[in-house]
Amino acid sequence: MGKRRIDIVVIGCSAGGLNALQVLFKGFLRPLPVIVVVVCHSGSEVMDTFCDLLRRHAPMPVQEAEERTCPNPGQVYVAPAGYHLLFERDGRFALNVDERVEYSRPSIDVLFESAADVWGDRLVGVILTGANADGAHGLRCIRERGGISLVEDPASATVSTMPLAALEMAGADECLPLSGLAPLLESLCRQ
């Protein structure tokens, strides 16, 4: 992976995702000095409670992403329910209601692909537990544009379908148990 500047971490998860994110965020010793963006297929139509539950474990502010806002380092942004979250060329958030991808909106693939286009090799993509293949194509895009790909070890995932699909389609720079991801992200984001 080598030393490089990282500006943003994008994280995708589905079934079991809230618990996985809580474990991941609890593992950060202090706020990450980068933008963190999360897409989780929560099944909820309102993400306020989801954000509240993440705030209890994250050492940084957690908020729902909003249209045309410019994300700031040291904060976690969560995709709103019912919208695809993506990046404009200028790095601002955009929301749309295009067709579902892998039965999902928000889609991990949509976020990851647009993040890869904007951030290139200054990006880390992370796939956690989940019950479908969303995120696999997006993770491949991240790798093709020079970004770093991390995948939760399917053996440690609550549901292994999503990590297995990501490994099959995209591979990974690192495939680690959930407990090993926070220390690795700390190291990558503080180089």
Side-chain angles (χ1 to χ4, degrees):
M1 289 183 282
K3 285 196 167 200
R4 69 174 87 172
R5 175 180 154 182
I6 300 299
D7 290 330
I8 182 167
V9 174
V10 290
I11 303 171
C13 54
S14 182
L18 176 59
N19 182 62
L21 289 166
Q22 290 172 327
V23 170
L24 178 67
F25 290 167
K26 192 186 267 185
F28 297 140
L29 302 177
R30 57 190 192 269
L32 294 181
V34 300
I35 299 161
V36 178
V37 184
V38 173
V39 169
C40 181
H41 305 157
S42 70
S44 175
E45 293 191 19
V46 179
M47 296 304 287
D48 292 346
T49 302
F50 185 89
C51 289
D52 287 343
L53 292 169
L54 287 184
R55 279 186 199 105
R56 296 178 189 174
H57 301 279
M60 56 196 109
V62 177
Q63 66 188 67
E64 199 169 321
E66 296 178 2
E67 176 82 22
R68 297 294 303 148
T69 59
C70 189
N72 295 310
Q75 295 194 34
V76 176
Y77 298 88
V78 175
Y83 293 90
H84 291 308
L85 176 64
L86 56 152
F87 287 100
E88 298 287 354
R89 285 275 172 212
D90 65 2
R92 292 179 187 275
F93 287 128
L95 302 175
N96 75 38
V97 289
D98 287 350
E99 292 297 316
R100 295 176 182 271
V101 176
E102 291 289 334
Y103 310 102
S104 303
R105 189 176 56 224
S107 164
I108 300 164
D109 280 334
V110 170
L111 173 67
F112 281 23
E113 289 172 38
S114 70
D117 288 341
V118 173
W119 304 98
D121 66 354
R122 296 173 291 139
L123 168 68
V124 177
V126 183
I127 293 289
L128 302 176
T129 180
N132 68 15
D134 190 20
H137 177 75
L139 196 66
R140 185 171 69 189
C141 291
I142 289 172
R143 295 195 82 195
E144 288 170 351
R145 288 168 182 80
I148 296 171
S149 64
L150 307 180
V151 176
E152 180 181 2
D153 184 342
S156 79
T158 304
V159 181
S160 63
T161 308
M162 191 173 282
L164 286 170
L167 290 171
E168 184 177 320
M169 180 177 281
D173 292 300
E174 293 283 345
C175 178
L176 297 169
L178 184 58
S179 62
L181 289 171
L184 178 56
L185 283 167
E186 290 251 9
S187 172
L188 290 170
C189 295
R190 298 188 194 284
Q191 292 185 24

